[in-house]
Amino acid sequence: MLDSTFSLLYPNGSETPGKRVNISDEVISELSLDYLMELKNSSLADYFTTDKAVIEYRMATVSDLMNNPTIVDTLKSVLTLLNDIIELRAIRGETEVAKNYLYSITEIELYIDIVARLAKGFQSVRDNVKSPAFIKLTKTVTELSESDYYKDLNKKLNELTAKVHDVKSITIGVNLDSEFRPTDAGVVSLNAEHFKSGKVIDKILRMDFKDGDYTCIAPLVPYNHSNTDNAKIAFSNAFNGAMNDIFKADVRQWRQLVQAYVLSNTDFLLRIMPEIEFLTKAQYMLLALKSRGLDLAVPEICDMDKREFSAVSLYNPAVALRVDAEMVKNDIDFDENAKIYVLTGPNRGGKSVITCAVGQIQALAQLGLPVPAKSAKISPVTAIYTHFPTDSGDTLEKGRLGEECARLNAIFDTVDKYSLVLLDESFSSTGSYEASYIASEVLTGFSIVGCRCLFSTHLHELSAKLDEINMRCREQGGVAIDTLVAGIKGAERSFEITRAKPDGKSYAKDIAEKFGLSYDKIMERVKNK
């Protein structure tokens, strides 16, 4: 019997209460996590955890998947069969006894096939797997497939299916009224051979002696062809009644067999079905990144109290999978000198890309997966919040700025020092003076809370206020705020992020040059008229 507490994702069979992460479907979408891993049988939000033991358990499981790709082939084939079982159960409950019997047999055939595939697939890698999850699963399916009960089940199944498969046709007796209309019908016999089309004259003259008992005196006609409703009802009732009577005893015996053993094991496999899908989709994403020659690091998971986030050569995996260009990689470190960063730079200079990348690395680490970086040290967070541009319907009622402020107020209602907050071009709907003022108030609030925060913004003036903001924050025990700059070389964007003070004027000049709107370029056009 399979262990009902076994899980591919949780060392104790289930998630520890209170270890979940506050991350909404909207945040998952804004960070493109649903693009990286699109799940059908569960929500990605279900798998985020702050539990270090769970994360490390999954890391070992995923490591086995990456080192033994055939495991995924085995799991994918099992997923297909499990989906078949789900469909069978959906239609089996309200069917006639005979069909219920056939569907039950089919489910057991699928179950036996699943065990056989798992045993064969894991037998080939049993000496290579090192994770507790796959070591236990390999041992269990091997013992199960070699057990006497499994062999007896297989034998019994063959006997019962043979009985069903022997029925090739039925002989039906039909009573007619004086006008040769069917009045009632009944099954005369179950036959081990199919009937064949024939001709009246051949039957009368006895010219076709071979299999004469199963040769009709007229061509066979499809059941639904040219039959009245009454005829169809009479035929169906006669057939179903006879089949139900014949198989009723077998169904009773079969149900006892199923309920005693098979259903519990099948239910176990159905229970871990979402976990199988999660792991196979994760491996697909990781292999896609690896095939592009990109780094994948197993992060060092630090204690939550350290509020650690340090990544070397991180990149945005969603962008990496969408473009063929070489990825620009950057280092980000939320250290003691800065738990909050203000990221400035030119438009389309990579600010939004790197902001998403920080959230993606944090999220992937807390899913228990390798992260897109050369190395990383990460503490789990209790929540990931995003404040990105949106086309929310509230914009019409409140105005763009009002809608932005409402969303920020909602974040402040639940944010704590263990949270990660990502803001991208917030307050761009208002003037720079008002935007800078509101932004400085918001940053002060996040500093006092003590959360990690990355604020990507066009507000270069905000950086000039950071000394004043930091002084105010220190007085109230807040964390330090520093600046990052999205690099630009000449008129070209490098997408490199450096820890430095921004120079808004140089950005403006470079952008004007790039688009031909500098003073010199404009004068050239004016003079050439």
Side-chain angles (χ1 to χ4, degrees):
M1 184 73 71
L2 291 170
D3 184 355
S4 61
T5 65
F6 173 76
S7 169
L8 291 168
L9 301 181
Y10 299 98
N12 298 316
S14 62
E15 186 178 17
T16 305
K19 296 293 185 179
R20 289 208 168 191
V21 178
N22 181 2
I23 181 168
S24 67
D25 290 337
E26 181 182 12
V27 171
I28 288 172
S29 177
E30 288 182 329
L31 294 178
S32 297
L33 296 170
D34 51 351
Y35 169 77
L36 295 173
M37 291 178 61
E38 183 181 2
L39 303 180
K40 295 180 180 179
N41 295 302
S42 58
S43 170
L44 198 59
D46 297 336
Y47 300 106
F48 293 98
T49 180
T50 63
D51 193 321
K52 183 177 179 181
V54 171
I55 294 172
E56 291 175 346
Y57 181 83
R58 293 182 190 174
M59 293 287 187
T61 303
V62 173
S63 177
D64 271 347
L65 286 179
M66 299 299 288
N67 294 328
N68 302 276
T70 58
I71 292 178
V72 169
D73 296 333
T74 300
L75 295 178
K76 282 183 177 179
S77 68
V78 167
L79 271 182
T80 301
L81 299 179
L82 289 173
N83 278 315
D84 290 341
I85 289 178
I86 291 175
E87 291 180 8
L88 271 178
R89 289 188 175 185
I91 63 176
R92 192 180 69 195
E94 299 179 358
T95 59
E96 302 89 357
V97 174
K99 287 185 179 178
N100 199 303
Y101 175 69
L102 295 175
Y103 292 152
S104 295
I105 288 178
T106 303
E107 179 171 335
I108 307 309
E109 287 178 320
L110 290 170
Y111 165 76
I112 288 175
D113 194 4
I114 287 172
V115 173
R117 292 189 188 198
L118 286 173
K120 181 180 179 181
F122 282 100
Q123 181 68 28
S124 63
V125 298
R126 65 184 304 172
D127 295 330
N128 297 328
V129 295
K130 297 178 174 59
S131 66
F134 284 131
I135 288 174
K136 186 170 184 178
L137 185 58
T138 300
K139 180 181 178 181
T140 300
V141 296
T142 299
E143 291 176 351
L144 186 60
S145 65
E146 295 175 354
S147 68
D148 291 337
Y149 191 96
Y150 179 80
K151 294 174 183 176
D152 291 342
L153 177 66
N154 216 335
K155 180 180 178 182
K156 181 65 175 176
L157 176 68
N158 291 333
E159 293 173 355
L160 293 170
T161 53
K163 182 174 182 179
V164 175
H165 294 158
D166 280 345
V167 179
K168 305 297 184 184
S169 65
I170 60 174
T171 302
I172 295 180
V174 181
N175 290 325
L176 308 174
D177 63 14
S178 60
E179 296 182 6
F180 296 103
R181 292 175 301 190
T183 57
D184 44 37
V187 174
V188 177
S189 64
L190 301 180
N191 309 314
E193 298 182 46
H194 287 120
F195 284 102
K196 303 173 184 177
S197 291
K199 299 179 181 178
V200 175
I201 189 65
D202 289 342
K203 199 73 172 178
I204 294 174
L205 297 177
R206 308 289 295 175
M207 295 179 67
D208 186 1
F209 297 101
K210 184 178 180 181
D211 298 328
D213 291 340
Y214 292 95
T215 302
C216 300
I217 65 172
L220 288 170
V221 178
Y223 169 59
N224 288 322
H225 181 66
S226 300
N227 284 326
T228 66
D229 289 340
N230 288 339
K232 292 176 183 177
I233 293 171
F235 177 88
S236 296
N237 288 343
F239 173 77
N240 291 331
M243 296 296 283
N244 288 344
D245 288 341
I246 292 166
F247 289 118
K248 190 174 294 182
D250 283 331
V251 169
R252 191 177 300 112
Q253 176 190 8
W254 183 253
R255 281 177 176 164
Q256 292 173 353
L257 178 68
V258 171
Q259 292 173 353
Y261 181 78
V262 177
L263 284 181
S264 61
N265 281 346
T266 307
D267 288 344
F268 157 78
L269 292 168
L270 292 174
R271 181 175 60 79
I272 67 169
M273 183 177 173
E275 297 184 357
I276 293 174
E277 182 192 29
F278 171 85
L279 290 171
T280 55
K281 290 295 181 67
Q283 192 238 27
Y284 178 82
M285 172 196 67
L286 296 171
L287 287 180
L289 293 171
K290 191 174 180 180
S291 69
R292 287 165 169 74
L294 295 167
D295 291 321
L296 288 168
V298 175
E300 177 186 342
I301 304 301
C302 305
D303 291 339
M304 187 179 292
D305 285 333
K306 291 186 176 181
R307 292 179 290 169
E308 184 80 52
F309 184 106
S310 176
V312 176
S313 297
L314 70 83
Y315 59 92
N316 185 311
V319 173
L321 293 176
R322 286 188 174 107
V323 302
D324 294 328
E326 182 178 353
M327 292 300 297
V328 175
K329 302 173 184 178
N330 290 286
D331 301 343
I332 299 289
D333 188 2
F334 290 84
D335 54 24
E336 289 304 316
N337 296 318
K339 293 297 183 187
I340 297 176
Y341 284 108
V342 176
L343 171 61
T344 57
N347 291 333
R348 301 181 63 83
K351 299 192 302 295
S352 297
V353 170
I354 199 68
T355 302
C356 280
V358 169
Q360 289 162 346
I361 282 191
Q362 185 72 50
L364 292 175
Q366 291 190 234
L367 288 171
L369 303 176
V371 299
K374 182 173 288 186
S375 64
K377 295 172 64 177
I378 294 175
S379 295
V381 297
T382 55
I384 299 177
Y385 300 101
T386 57
H387 190 266
F388 292 177
T390 179
D391 294 325
S392 170
D394 286 346
T395 302
L396 294 176
E397 182 178 344
K398 301 176 182 177
R400 174 70 181 274
L401 181 60
E403 183 270 337
E404 287 188 278
C405 292
R407 286 194 289 138
L408 274 168
N409 277 321
I411 292 174
F412 276 112
D413 284 341
T414 54
V415 70
D416 62 25
K417 69 177 182 178
Y418 301 114
S419 301
L420 173 65
V421 181
L422 304 169
L423 303 98
D424 185 30
E425 297 295 355
S426 299
F427 317 117
S428 58
S429 59
T430 190
S432 60
Y433 175 80
E434 293 87 351
S436 295
Y437 178 83
I438 298 172
S440 65
E441 298 291 288
V442 168
L443 288 175
T444 301
F446 286 135
S447 172
I448 294 170
V449 169
C451 63
R452 278 147 287 178
C453 175
L454 179 58
F455 182 11
S456 164
T457 181
H458 65 291
L459 299 171
H460 303 292
E461 305 92 331
L462 185 62
S463 299
K465 298 182 178 180
L466 280 189
D467 289 341
E468 177 185 337
I469 296 172
N470 272 318
M471 183 181 300
R472 180 182 177 189
C473 293
R474 280 195 298 271
E475 290 174 353
Q476 300 183 62
V479 297
I481 306 171
D482 203 353
T483 55
L484 297 173
V485 176
I488 190 165
K489 295 178 179 178
E492 296 299 324
R493 296 164 178 78
S494 69
F495 301 104
E496 293 178 357
I497 306 299
T498 56
R499 193 166 179 171
K501 296 290 184 183
D503 182 358
K505 292 182 180 179
S506 66
Y507 294 144
K509 180 180 179 181
D510 287 331
I511 294 170
E513 288 283 351
K514 178 177 178 63
F515 291 102
L517 293 175
S518 65
Y519 173 81
D520 292 339
K521 294 289 185 183
I522 292 173
M523 288 299 101
E524 286 179 14
R525 286 184 172 80
V526 172
K527 291 177 182 178
N528 290 332
K529 282 188 175 182

